[in-house]
Amino acid sequence: KKEGAMTTARGVSNVVSRATSHHHRIGFTRRNTTRAVVMAKKEGAKITSKTGRAPSKYNQFMKVEIARLKAKNTAGLNNKEIFKQAALNWAHSPDNPKNKK
């Protein structure tokens, strides 16, 4: 048995409440969020993203490049290697603002 490990039901609930207390302080609970989404759907409201920011040039490039590399993947690369290759391609891409002079 590890020293300091909480094994009682009260100890476990204390850990859970401490982990979620931040969310409660800022007014976020799973129940409230779910309820808001359900109500919005019933009213026919369109659910929009919270940030509303447009994707950056990097995000747009990576989306297209990763799809292209996955389609061309004849060497059997895994996702980590595909992302690494896409990042290298971004570093030398003319779409990258750092490459424009």
Side-chain angles (χ1 to χ4, degrees):
K1 202 174 195 181
K2 291 184 179 179
E3 188 175 321
M6 292 186 234
T7 56
T8 65
R10 183 176 175 89
V12 171
S13 66
N14 285 342
V15 170
V16 171
S17 66
R18 271 187 270 134
T20 58
S21 65
H22 172 71
H23 293 295
H24 292 289
R25 272 187 262 132
I26 60 173
F28 171 84
T29 62
R30 171 180 261 160
R31 183 175 180 187
N32 290 346
T33 303
T34 305
R35 184 178 297 148
V37 170
V38 169
M39 293 302 290
K41 284 182 180 177
K42 282 183 181 178
E43 294 170 8
K46 184 178 177 183
I47 306 298
T48 59
S49 68
K50 291 183 181 183
T51 60
R53 276 196 290 184
S56 67
K57 288 185 178 186
Y58 174 79
N59 295 130
Q60 294 169 354
F61 176 85
M62 290 298 280
K63 182 178 180 180
V64 171
E65 189 67 10
I66 287 170
R68 185 184 71 79
L69 290 172
K70 282 185 178 182
K72 186 182 117 177
N73 187 10
T74 57
L77 299 174
N78 62 25
N79 282 343
K80 183 178 179 180
E81 293 165 337
I82 289 173
F83 272 85
K84 193 182 292 186
Q85 184 60 49
L88 286 173
N89 293 350
W90 170 252
H92 302 292
S93 170
D95 296 335
N96 187 343
K98 291 183 178 181
N99 292 336
K100 297 190 182 202
K101 293 181 182 182

Coordinates of all heavy atoms in Angstrom, one line a residue:
K1 N 0.8 -1.2 0.0 CA 0.0 0.0 0.0 C 0.9 1.2 0.0 O 1.8 1.3 0.8 CB -0.9 0.0 1.2 CG -2.1 0.8 1.2 CD -2.9 0.5 2.4 CE -4.3 1.0 2.3 NZ -5.1 0.7 3.4
K2 N 0.6 2.2 -0.9 CA 1.4 3.4 -0.9 C 1.0 4.3 0.2 O -0.1 4.4 0.6 CB 1.1 4.2 -2.2 CG 1.6 3.5 -3.4 CD 1.4 4.3 -4.7 CE 1.9 3.7 -5.9 NZ 1.7 4.5 -7.1
E3 N 2.1 4.9 0.7 CA 1.9 5.8 1.8 C 1.2 7.1 1.4 O 1.5 7.7 0.3 CB 3.2 6.2 2.4 CG 3.1 7.0 3.7 CD 4.5 7.3 4.3 OE1 5.3 6.4 4.3 OE2 4.7 8.4 4.8
G4 N 0.2 7.5 2.1 CA -0.6 8.7 1.7 C -1.7 8.5 0.7 O -2.3 9.5 0.3
A5 N -1.9 7.3 0.3 CA -2.9 7.0 -0.7 C -4.3 7.0 0.0 O -4.5 6.5 1.1 CB -2.7 5.6 -1.3
M6 N -5.3 7.7 -0.6 CA -6.6 7.8 0.0 C -7.4 6.6 -0.5 O -7.6 6.4 -1.7 CB -7.3 9.1 -0.5 CG -6.6 10.3 0.1 SD -7.6 11.7 -0.3 CE -6.3 12.7 -1.1
T7 N -7.9 5.8 0.5 CA -8.7 4.6 0.1 C -10.1 4.7 0.6 O -11.0 3.9 0.1 CB -8.0 3.4 0.7 OG1 -7.9 3.6 2.1 CG2 -6.7 3.1 0.1
T8 N -10.5 5.7 1.4 CA -11.9 5.7 1.9 C -12.7 6.4 0.9 O -12.3 7.1 0.0 CB -11.9 6.6 3.2 OG1 -11.5 7.9 2.9 CG2 -11.0 6.0 4.3
A9 N -14.0 6.2 1.0 CA -15.0 6.8 0.0 C -14.9 8.3 0.2 O -14.9 9.0 -0.8 CB -16.4 6.3 0.3
R10 N -14.7 8.8 1.4 CA -14.7 10.2 1.6 C -13.4 10.8 1.0 O -13.4 11.9 0.3 CB -14.7 10.5 3.1 CG -14.7 12.0 3.4 CD -14.8 12.2 4.9 NE -14.7 13.6 5.2 CZ -15.7 14.5 5.3 NH1 -16.9 14.0 5.0 NH2 -15.5 15.7 5.6
G11 N -12.3 10.1 1.1 CA -11.0 10.5 0.5 C -11.1 10.6 -1.0 O -10.7 11.6 -1.6
V12 N -11.8 9.7 -1.7 CA -12.0 9.7 -3.1 C -12.9 10.8 -3.5 O -12.6 11.5 -4.5 CB -12.5 8.3 -3.6 CG1 -12.9 8.4 -5.1 CG2 -11.5 7.2 -3.4
S13 N -14.0 11.0 -2.8 CA -14.8 12.1 -3.2 C -14.2 13.5 -3.0 O -14.4 14.4 -3.7 CB -16.1 12.1 -2.4 OG -15.9 12.3 -1.0
N14 N -13.3 13.6 -2.0 CA -12.5 14.8 -1.8 C -11.6 15.1 -3.0 O -11.5 16.3 -3.4 CB -11.7 14.8 -0.5 CG -12.5 15.0 0.7 OD1 -13.7 15.4 0.6 ND2 -12.0 14.6 1.9
V15 N -11.0 14.1 -3.5 CA -10.1 14.2 -4.7 C -10.9 14.7 -5.9 O -10.5 15.6 -6.6 CB -9.4 12.9 -5.0 CG1 -8.7 13.0 -6.3 CG2 -8.4 12.6 -3.9
V16 N -12.1 14.1 -6.1 CA -12.9 14.5 -7.2 C -13.4 15.9 -7.1 O -13.4 16.7 -8.0 CB -14.1 13.5 -7.3 CG1 -15.1 14.0 -8.4 CG2 -13.6 12.1 -7.7
S17 N -13.9 16.3 -5.9 CA -14.4 17.6 -5.7 C -13.3 18.7 -5.8 O -13.5 19.7 -6.4 CB -15.1 17.8 -4.3 OG -14.1 17.7 -3.3
R18 N -12.0 18.3 -5.4 CA -10.9 19.3 -5.6 C -10.6 19.4 -7.1 O -10.3 20.5 -7.6 CB -9.7 18.8 -4.8 CG -9.7 19.4 -3.4 CD -8.4 19.0 -2.8 NE -8.5 17.8 -2.1 CZ -7.7 16.8 -2.2 NH1 -6.6 16.9 -2.8 NH2 -7.9 15.6 -1.6
A19 N -10.7 18.4 -7.8 CA -10.4 18.4 -9.3 C -11.4 19.2 -10.0 O -11.1 19.8 -11.0 CB -10.3 17.0 -9.8
T20 N -12.7 19.2 -9.6 CA -13.7 19.9 -10.4 C -14.0 21.2 -9.8 O -14.8 22.0 -10.3 CB -15.0 19.0 -10.4 OG1 -15.4 18.8 -9.1 CG2 -14.8 17.8 -11.2
S21 N -13.4 21.6 -8.6 CA -13.8 22.9 -8.0 C -13.5 24.1 -8.9 O -14.2 25.0 -8.8 CB -13.1 23.0 -6.6 OG -11.8 23.1 -6.8
H22 N -12.5 24.0 -9.6 CA -12.1 25.1 -10.5 C -13.2 25.4 -11.5 O -13.6 26.5 -11.8 CB -10.8 24.8 -11.3 CG -10.5 25.8 -12.3 ND1 -10.1 27.1 -12.0 CD2 -10.6 25.8 -13.7 CE1 -10.0 27.8 -13.2 NE2 -10.2 27.0 -14.2
H23 N -13.8 24.3 -12.1 CA -14.9 24.5 -13.1 C -16.1 25.1 -12.4 O -16.8 25.9 -13.0 CB -15.2 23.1 -13.7 CG -14.1 22.6 -14.6 ND1 -13.7 23.2 -15.7 CD2 -13.4 21.5 -14.4 CE1 -12.7 22.5 -16.3 NE2 -12.5 21.4 -15.5
H24 N -16.4 24.7 -11.2 CA -17.5 25.2 -10.5 C -17.3 26.7 -10.2 O -18.3 27.5 -10.2 CB -17.9 24.4 -9.2 CG -18.3 23.1 -9.5 ND1 -19.6 22.8 -10.1 CD2 -17.7 21.9 -9.4 CE1 -19.7 21.5 -10.3 NE2 -18.6 20.9 -9.9
R25 N -16.1 27.1 -9.9 CA -15.9 28.5 -9.5 C -16.1 29.4 -10.8 O -16.5 30.5 -10.6 CB -14.4 28.7 -9.0 CG -14.4 28.5 -7.5 CD -13.0 28.9 -7.0 NE -12.3 27.6 -6.9 CZ -11.1 27.4 -7.3 NH1 -10.4 28.3 -7.9 NH2 -10.5 26.2 -7.1
I26 N -15.8 28.9 -11.9 CA -16.0 29.7 -13.1 C -17.3 29.5 -13.8 O -17.6 30.0 -14.9 CB -14.8 29.5 -14.2 CG1 -14.8 28.0 -14.6 CG2 -13.5 29.9 -13.6 CD1 -13.8 27.8 -15.7
G27 N -18.2 28.8 -13.1 CA -19.6 28.6 -13.6 C -19.8 27.5 -14.6 O -20.8 27.5 -15.3
F28 N -18.9 26.6 -14.7 CA -19.0 25.6 -15.7 C -19.3 24.3 -15.0 O -18.6 23.9 -14.1 CB -17.6 25.4 -16.5 CG -17.6 24.2 -17.4 CD1 -18.1 24.2 -18.6 CD2 -17.0 23.0 -16.9 CE1 -18.1 23.1 -19.4 CE2 -17.0 21.9 -17.7 CZ -17.5 22.0 -19.0
T29 N -20.3 23.6 -15.4 CA -20.6 22.3 -15.0 C -21.1 21.5 -16.2 O -21.6 22.1 -17.1 CB -21.7 22.2 -13.9 OG1 -22.9 22.7 -14.4 CG2 -21.3 23.0 -12.7
R30 N -20.8 20.2 -16.2 CA -21.2 19.4 -17.3 C -22.8 19.5 -17.5 O -23.3 19.6 -18.6 CB -20.8 17.9 -17.1 CG -21.4 17.0 -18.1 CD -20.9 15.6 -17.9 NE -19.9 15.4 -18.8 CZ -19.0 14.5 -18.7 NH1 -19.0 13.7 -17.6 NH2 -18.0 14.3 -19.6
R31 N -23.5 19.5 -16.4 CA -24.9 19.5 -16.4 C -25.4 20.8 -17.1 O -26.3 20.8 -17.9 CB -25.5 19.3 -15.0 CG -27.0 19.3 -15.0 CD -27.4 19.0 -13.6 NE -28.9 18.9 -13.5 CZ -29.6 18.8 -12.4 NH1 -29.0 18.8 -11.3 NH2 -30.9 18.8 -12.5
N32 N -24.9 21.9 -16.6 CA -25.3 23.2 -17.2 C -25.0 23.3 -18.7 O -25.8 23.8 -19.5 CB -24.7 24.4 -16.4 CG -25.2 24.5 -15.0 OD1 -26.2 23.9 -14.7 ND2 -24.5 25.3 -14.2
T33 N -23.8 22.9 -19.0 CA -23.4 22.9 -20.4 C -24.3 22.1 -21.3 O -24.8 22.5 -22.4 CB -21.9 22.5 -20.6 OG1 -21.2 23.3 -19.8 CG2 -21.5 22.6 -22.0
T34 N -24.6 20.8 -20.9 CA -25.4 19.9 -21.6 C -26.8 20.5 -21.7 O -27.4 20.4 -22.8 CB -25.4 18.5 -20.9 OG1 -24.1 18.1 -20.8 CG2 -26.2 17.5 -21.7
R35 N -27.3 21.0 -20.7 CA -28.7 21.6 -20.7 C -28.8 22.7 -21.7 O -29.7 22.9 -22.4 CB -29.0 22.1 -19.3 CG -30.5 22.6 -19.2 CD -30.9 23.0 -17.8 NE -30.8 21.9 -16.9 CZ -30.5 22.0 -15.6 NH1 -30.2 23.2 -15.1 NH2 -30.5 21.0 -14.8
A36 N -27.7 23.6 -21.7 CA -27.7 24.7 -22.6 C -27.7 24.3 -24.1 O -28.4 24.8 -24.9 CB -26.6 25.6 -22.4
V37 N -27.0 23.2 -24.4 CA -26.9 22.7 -25.7 C -28.2 22.1 -26.1 O -28.7 22.3 -27.2 CB -25.7 21.7 -25.9 CG1 -25.8 21.0 -27.2 CG2 -24.4 22.4 -25.7
V38 N -28.8 21.3 -25.2 CA -30.1 20.7 -25.5 C -31.2 21.8 -25.8 O -32.0 21.7 -26.7 CB -30.5 19.7 -24.4 CG1 -32.0 19.3 -24.5 CG2 -29.6 18.5 -24.3
M39 N -31.2 22.8 -24.9 CA -32.2 23.9 -25.1 C -32.0 24.6 -26.4 O -33.0 24.9 -27.1 CB -32.2 24.8 -23.9 CG -32.6 24.2 -22.6 SD -34.3 23.6 -22.6 CE -35.2 25.1 -22.7
A40 N -30.8 24.9 -26.7 CA -30.5 25.6 -28.0 C -30.9 24.7 -29.2 O -31.5 25.3 -30.2 CB -29.0 25.9 -28.1
K41 N -30.7 23.4 -29.1 CA -31.1 22.6 -30.2 C -32.6 22.5 -30.4 O -33.2 22.5 -31.5 CB -30.6 21.1 -30.0 CG -29.1 21.0 -30.4 CD -28.6 19.6 -30.2 CE -27.1 19.5 -30.5 NZ -26.7 18.1 -30.3
K42 N -33.3 22.5 -29.2 CA -34.8 22.5 -29.3 C -35.3 23.8 -29.9 O -36.3 23.8 -30.6 CB -35.3 22.3 -27.8 CG -35.3 20.9 -27.3 CD -35.9 20.8 -25.9 CE -35.8 19.4 -25.4 NZ -36.4 19.3 -24.1
E43 N -34.7 24.9 -29.6 CA -35.1 26.2 -30.1 C -34.7 26.4 -31.6 O -35.0 27.4 -32.2 CB -34.6 27.3 -29.2 CG -35.1 27.3 -27.8 CD -34.4 28.2 -26.9 OE1 -33.6 29.0 -27.4 OE2 -34.7 28.2 -25.7
G44 N -33.9 25.5 -32.1 CA -33.4 25.6 -33.5 C -32.2 26.5 -33.6 O -31.9 26.9 -34.8
A45 N -31.6 26.9 -32.6 CA -30.5 27.8 -32.6 C -29.3 27.0 -33.2 O -29.1 25.8 -33.0 CB -30.1 28.3 -31.3
K46 N -28.4 27.7 -33.9 CA -27.2 27.2 -34.5 C -26.1 27.2 -33.4 O -25.9 28.3 -32.8 CB -26.8 27.9 -35.7 CG -25.6 27.3 -36.4 CD -25.2 28.1 -37.6 CE -24.0 27.6 -38.3 NZ -23.6 28.4 -39.4
I47 N -25.5 26.1 -33.2 CA -24.4 26.0 -32.2 C -23.1 26.4 -32.9 O -22.8 25.9 -33.9 CB -24.2 24.6 -31.6 CG1 -25.5 24.0 -31.1 CG2 -23.1 24.5 -30.6 CD1 -26.1 24.8 -29.9
T48 N -22.5 27.5 -32.4 CA -21.3 28.0 -33.0 C -20.1 27.7 -32.1 O -20.3 27.4 -30.9 CB -21.4 29.5 -33.2 OG1 -21.6 30.2 -32.0 CG2 -22.6 29.8 -34.2
S49 N -18.9 27.9 -32.6 CA -17.7 27.7 -31.8 C -17.6 28.8 -30.8 O -18.1 29.9 -31.0 CB -16.5 27.6 -32.7 OG -16.3 28.8 -33.3
K50 N -16.9 28.5 -29.7 CA -16.8 29.5 -28.7 C -15.8 30.6 -29.0 O -16.0 31.7 -28.7 CB -16.3 28.8 -27.4 CG -17.4 27.9 -26.8 CD -16.9 27.3 -25.5 CE -18.0 26.4 -25.0 NZ -17.7 25.8 -23.7
T51 N -14.7 30.2 -29.7 CA -13.7 31.3 -30.1 C -14.1 32.1 -31.3 O -13.9 33.3 -31.3 CB -12.3 30.6 -30.3 OG1 -12.4 29.7 -31.4 CG2 -11.8 29.9 -29.1
G52 N -14.6 31.4 -32.3 CA -15.0 32.1 -33.5 C -13.9 32.6 -34.4 O -14.1 33.3 -35.3
R53 N -12.7 32.2 -34.0 CA -11.5 32.6 -34.8 C -11.4 31.7 -36.1 O -11.7 30.6 -36.1 CB -10.2 32.4 -34.0 CG -9.9 33.5 -33.1 CD -8.5 33.5 -32.7 NE -8.3 32.3 -31.8 CZ -7.1 32.1 -31.2 NH1 -6.1 32.8 -31.4 NH2 -7.0 31.1 -30.4
A54 N -11.0 32.4 -37.1 CA -10.7 31.7 -38.4 C -9.4 30.9 -38.3 O -8.5 31.3 -37.5 CB -10.6 32.7 -39.5
P55 N -9.3 29.7 -39.0 CA -8.1 29.0 -38.9 C -6.9 29.8 -39.5 O -7.1 30.5 -40.5 CB -8.4 27.7 -39.8 CG -9.8 27.8 -40.1 CD -10.4 29.1 -39.8
S56 N -5.8 29.6 -38.9 CA -4.6 30.3 -39.4 C -4.1 29.7 -40.7 O -4.6 28.6 -41.0 CB -3.5 30.3 -38.3 OG -3.0 28.9 -38.2
K57 N -3.2 30.3 -41.3 CA -2.6 29.8 -42.5 C -1.9 28.4 -42.2 O -2.0 27.5 -43.0 CB -1.6 30.7 -43.1 CG -2.2 31.9 -43.8 CD -1.2 32.8 -44.4 CE -1.8 34.0 -45.1 NZ -0.9 34.8 -45.9
Y58 N -1.3 28.3 -41.1 CA -0.7 27.1 -40.7 C -1.7 26.0 -40.5 O -1.5 24.9 -41.0 CB 0.1 27.3 -39.3 CG 0.6 26.0 -38.8 CD1 1.8 25.4 -39.2 CD2 0.0 25.3 -37.7 CE1 2.3 24.3 -38.7 CE2 0.5 24.1 -37.2 CZ 1.6 23.6 -37.7 OH 2.1 22.4 -37.2
N59 N -2.8 26.3 -39.9 CA -3.9 25.3 -39.7 C -4.5 24.8 -41.1 O -4.7 23.6 -41.3 CB -5.0 25.8 -38.9 CG -4.7 26.2 -37.4 OD1 -4.9 27.3 -37.0 ND2 -4.0 25.2 -36.8
Q60 N -4.7 25.8 -41.9 CA -5.2 25.4 -43.3 C -4.2 24.6 -44.0 O -4.6 23.6 -44.7 CB -5.5 26.7 -44.0 CG -6.6 27.5 -43.5 CD -6.7 28.9 -44.1 OE1 -5.9 29.3 -44.9 NE2 -7.8 29.6 -43.7
F61 N -2.9 25.0 -44.0 CA -1.9 24.2 -44.7 C -1.8 22.8 -44.1 O -1.7 21.8 -44.9 CB -0.5 24.9 -44.5 CG 0.6 24.1 -45.1 CD1 0.9 24.3 -46.5 CD2 1.4 23.3 -44.4 CE1 1.9 23.5 -47.1 CE2 2.4 22.5 -44.9 CZ 2.7 22.7 -46.3
M62 N -1.8 22.7 -42.8 CA -1.6 21.3 -42.2 C -2.8 20.4 -42.5 O -2.6 19.2 -42.8 CB -1.5 21.5 -40.7 CG -0.2 22.1 -40.2 SD 1.3 21.1 -40.7 CE 1.3 19.9 -39.4
K63 N -4.0 21.0 -42.6 CA -5.2 20.2 -42.9 C -5.1 19.6 -44.3 O -5.3 18.4 -44.5 CB -6.4 21.0 -42.8 CG -7.7 20.3 -43.1 CD -8.9 21.2 -43.0 CE -10.2 20.5 -43.2 NZ -11.4 21.4 -43.1
V64 N -4.7 20.4 -45.3 CA -4.5 19.9 -46.6 C -3.3 19.0 -46.8 O -3.4 18.0 -47.4 CB -4.4 21.2 -47.6 CG1 -4.0 20.7 -49.0 CG2 -5.7 22.0 -47.6
E65 N -2.2 19.4 -46.1 CA -1.0 18.6 -46.3 C -1.1 17.2 -45.6 O -0.6 16.3 -46.2 CB 0.2 19.4 -45.7 CG 1.6 18.8 -45.9 CD 2.0 18.9 -47.4 OE1 1.3 19.5 -48.2 OE2 3.0 18.3 -47.7
I66 N -1.7 17.2 -44.5 CA -1.8 15.9 -43.8 C -2.7 15.0 -44.6 O -2.4 13.8 -44.8 CB -2.3 16.1 -42.4 CG1 -1.2 16.6 -41.5 CG2 -2.8 14.7 -41.8 CD1 -1.6 17.1 -40.2
A67 N -3.8 15.5 -45.2 CA -4.7 14.7 -46.0 C -3.9 14.2 -47.3 O -4.0 13.0 -47.7 CB -5.9 15.5 -46.5
R68 N -3.1 15.1 -47.9 CA -2.3 14.7 -49.0 C -1.3 13.6 -48.7 O -1.2 12.6 -49.4 CB -1.6 15.9 -49.6 CG -0.8 15.7 -50.9 CD 0.0 16.9 -51.3 NE 1.1 17.2 -50.5 CZ 2.3 16.5 -50.6 NH1 2.4 15.5 -51.4 NH2 3.3 16.8 -49.8
L69 N -0.6 13.8 -47.6 CA 0.4 12.8 -47.2 C -0.2 11.5 -46.8 O 0.3 10.4 -47.1 CB 1.2 13.3 -46.0 CG 2.2 14.5 -46.3 CD1 2.8 15.0 -45.1 CD2 3.3 14.0 -47.3
K70 N -1.4 11.5 -46.2 CA -2.1 10.2 -45.8 C -2.5 9.5 -47.1 O -2.4 8.3 -47.1 CB -3.2 10.5 -44.9 CG -2.8 10.7 -43.5 CD -4.0 10.9 -42.6 CE -3.6 11.1 -41.1 NZ -4.7 11.2 -40.2
A71 N -3.0 10.2 -48.1 CA -3.4 9.6 -49.3 C -2.2 9.0 -50.1 O -2.4 8.0 -50.7 CB -4.2 10.7 -50.2
K72 N -1.1 9.7 -50.0 CA 0.1 9.3 -50.7 C 0.9 8.3 -49.9 O 1.9 7.7 -50.4 CB 1.0 10.5 -51.0 CG 2.2 10.3 -51.8 CD 2.9 11.6 -52.0 CE 4.3 11.4 -51.4 NZ 5.1 12.6 -51.5
N73 N 0.5 8.0 -48.7 CA 1.3 7.1 -47.8 C 1.5 5.7 -48.3 O 0.8 4.8 -48.0 CB 0.6 7.1 -46.4 CG 1.5 6.4 -45.4 OD1 2.6 6.1 -45.6 ND2 0.9 6.2 -44.2
T74 N 2.6 5.5 -49.1 CA 2.9 4.2 -49.6 C 4.0 3.6 -48.8 O 4.2 2.4 -48.9 CB 3.4 4.3 -51.1 OG1 4.5 5.2 -51.1 CG2 2.2 4.8 -51.9
A75 N 4.7 4.4 -48.0 CA 5.8 3.8 -47.2 C 5.3 3.3 -45.8 O 6.2 2.8 -45.1 CB 6.9 4.9 -47.0
G76 N 4.1 3.4 -45.5 CA 3.5 2.9 -44.3 C 3.9 3.8 -43.1 O 4.2 3.2 -42.0
L77 N 3.9 5.1 -43.3 CA 4.3 6.0 -42.2 C 3.1 6.0 -41.2 O 2.0 6.0 -41.5 CB 4.5 7.4 -42.7 CG 5.7 7.6 -43.7 CD1 5.7 9.0 -44.2 CD2 7.0 7.3 -43.0
N78 N 3.5 6.2 -39.9 CA 2.4 6.3 -38.9 C 2.1 7.8 -38.8 O 2.7 8.7 -39.4 CB 2.9 5.7 -37.5 CG 4.1 6.4 -36.9 OD1 4.4 7.6 -37.2 ND2 4.8 5.7 -36.1
N79 N 1.1 8.1 -38.0 CA 0.6 9.5 -37.9 C 1.7 10.5 -37.4 O 1.8 11.6 -37.9 CB -0.6 9.6 -37.0 CG -1.9 9.2 -37.7 OD1 -1.9 9.1 -38.9 ND2 -2.9 8.9 -36.9
K80 N 2.5 10.0 -36.4 CA 3.6 10.9 -35.9 C 4.5 11.3 -37.0 O 4.9 12.5 -37.1 CB 4.3 10.2 -34.8 CG 5.4 11.0 -34.1 CD 6.0 10.2 -33.0 CE 7.1 11.0 -32.3 NZ 7.7 10.3 -31.2
E81 N 4.9 10.4 -37.8 CA 5.8 10.6 -38.9 C 5.2 11.5 -40.0 O 5.8 12.4 -40.6 CB 6.3 9.3 -39.5 CG 7.2 8.5 -38.6 CD 7.4 7.1 -39.0 OE1 6.6 6.6 -39.7 OE2 8.4 6.5 -38.5
I82 N 3.9 11.3 -40.2 CA 3.2 12.1 -41.2 C 3.1 13.6 -40.7 O 3.4 14.5 -41.5 CB 1.7 11.6 -41.5 CG1 1.8 10.3 -42.3 CG2 0.9 12.6 -42.2 CD1 0.5 9.5 -42.4
F83 N 2.8 13.8 -39.5 CA 2.8 15.2 -38.9 C 4.2 15.8 -39.0 O 4.3 17.0 -39.3 CB 2.3 15.2 -37.5 CG 0.8 15.3 -37.4 CD1 0.0 14.2 -37.5 CD2 0.2 16.5 -37.2 CE1 -1.4 14.2 -37.4 CE2 -1.2 16.6 -37.1 CZ -2.0 15.5 -37.2
K84 N 5.2 15.0 -38.7 CA 6.6 15.5 -38.7 C 6.9 16.0 -40.2 O 7.5 17.1 -40.4 CB 7.5 14.4 -38.3 CG 8.9 14.9 -38.0 CD 9.9 13.8 -37.6 CE 9.5 13.2 -36.2 NZ 10.5 12.2 -35.8
Q85 N 6.5 15.2 -41.1 CA 6.8 15.5 -42.5 C 6.0 16.8 -42.9 O 6.5 17.6 -43.6 CB 6.5 14.4 -43.5 CG 6.8 14.6 -44.9 CD 8.3 14.9 -45.1 OE1 9.1 14.1 -44.6 NE2 8.6 15.9 -45.8
A86 N 4.8 16.9 -42.5 CA 3.9 18.0 -42.8 C 4.5 19.3 -42.2 O 4.6 20.3 -42.9 CB 2.5 17.8 -42.3
A87 N 5.1 19.2 -41.0 CA 5.7 20.4 -40.4 C 6.9 20.8 -41.1 O 7.2 22.0 -41.3 CB 6.0 20.0 -38.9
L88 N 7.7 19.8 -41.6 CA 8.9 20.1 -42.4 C 8.5 20.8 -43.7 O 9.1 21.8 -44.1 CB 9.7 18.9 -42.7 CG 10.5 18.3 -41.5 CD1 11.1 16.9 -41.9 CD2 11.6 19.3 -41.1
N89 N 7.4 20.3 -44.3 CA 6.9 20.9 -45.5 C 6.4 22.4 -45.3 O 6.6 23.2 -46.1 CB 5.8 20.1 -46.1 CG 6.3 18.7 -46.6 OD1 7.5 18.5 -46.7 ND2 5.4 17.8 -46.9
W90 N 5.8 22.6 -44.1 CA 5.4 24.0 -43.8 C 6.6 24.9 -43.6 O 6.5 26.1 -44.1 CB 4.6 24.0 -42.5 CG 4.3 25.3 -41.9 CD1 4.9 25.9 -40.8 CD2 3.4 26.3 -42.5 NE1 4.4 27.2 -40.7 CE2 3.5 27.4 -41.7 CE3 2.6 26.3 -43.6 CZ2 2.8 28.6 -41.9 CZ3 1.9 27.5 -43.8 CH2 1.9 28.6 -43.0
A91 N 7.7 24.4 -43.1 CA 8.9 25.2 -42.9 C 9.4 25.8 -44.2 O 10.0 26.8 -44.3 CB 10.0 24.4 -42.1
H92 N 9.2 25.0 -45.3 CA 9.8 25.4 -46.6 C 8.7 25.9 -47.6 O 9.0 26.1 -48.7 CB 10.5 24.3 -47.2 CG 11.7 23.8 -46.3 ND1 12.8 24.6 -46.1 CD2 11.8 22.7 -45.6 CE1 13.6 23.9 -45.2 NE2 13.0 22.8 -44.9
S93 N 7.4 26.0 -47.1 CA 6.3 26.3 -48.0 C 6.3 27.8 -48.3 O 6.6 28.7 -47.4 CB 5.0 25.9 -47.3 OG 3.9 26.4 -48.0
P94 N 5.9 28.2 -49.5 CA 5.7 29.6 -49.8 C 4.5 30.2 -49.1 O 4.4 31.4 -49.0 CB 5.5 29.6 -51.3 CG 5.1 28.2 -51.7 CD 5.7 27.3 -50.6
D95 N 3.6 29.4 -48.6 CA 2.5 29.9 -47.8 C 2.9 30.4 -46.4 O 2.1 31.1 -45.8 CB 1.4 28.8 -47.6 CG 0.8 28.4 -49.0 OD1 0.8 29.2 -49.9 OD2 0.3 27.2 -49.1
N96 N 4.0 29.9 -46.0 CA 4.5 30.3 -44.6 C 5.0 31.8 -44.7 O 5.9 32.1 -45.4 CB 5.7 29.4 -44.2 CG 6.2 29.6 -42.8 OD1 5.9 30.6 -42.2 ND2 6.9 28.6 -42.3
P97 N 4.4 32.6 -43.8 CA 4.8 34.0 -43.8 C 6.2 34.3 -43.5 O 6.8 35.3 -43.9 CB 3.9 34.6 -42.7 CG 2.8 33.7 -42.4 CD 3.3 32.3 -42.9
K98 N 6.9 33.4 -42.8 CA 8.3 33.5 -42.5 C 9.2 33.3 -43.7 O 10.4 33.7 -43.7 CB 8.7 32.6 -41.4 CG 8.1 32.9 -40.0 CD 8.6 32.0 -39.0 CE 8.0 32.3 -37.6 NZ 8.5 31.5 -36.5
N99 N 8.7 32.7 -44.7 CA 9.5 32.5 -45.9 C 9.3 33.6 -46.9 O 10.0 33.6 -48.0 CB 9.1 31.2 -46.6 CG 9.5 30.0 -45.7 OD1 10.4 30.1 -44.9 ND2 8.8 28.9 -45.9
K100 N 8.4 34.6 -46.7 CA 8.2 35.7 -47.6 C 9.2 36.8 -47.3 O 9.5 37.1 -46.2 CB 6.8 36.2 -47.5 CG 5.8 35.1 -47.9 CD 4.5 35.6 -48.1 CE 3.6 34.4 -48.5 NZ 2.4 34.7 -49.1
K101 N 9.8 37.3 -48.4 CA 10.8 38.4 -48.2 C 10.3 39.6 -49.0 O 9.6 39.7 -49.8 CB 12.1 38.0 -48.7 CG 12.7 36.9 -47.8 CD 14.1 36.5 -48.3 CE 14.6 35.3 -47.4 NZ 15.8 34.9 -47.7

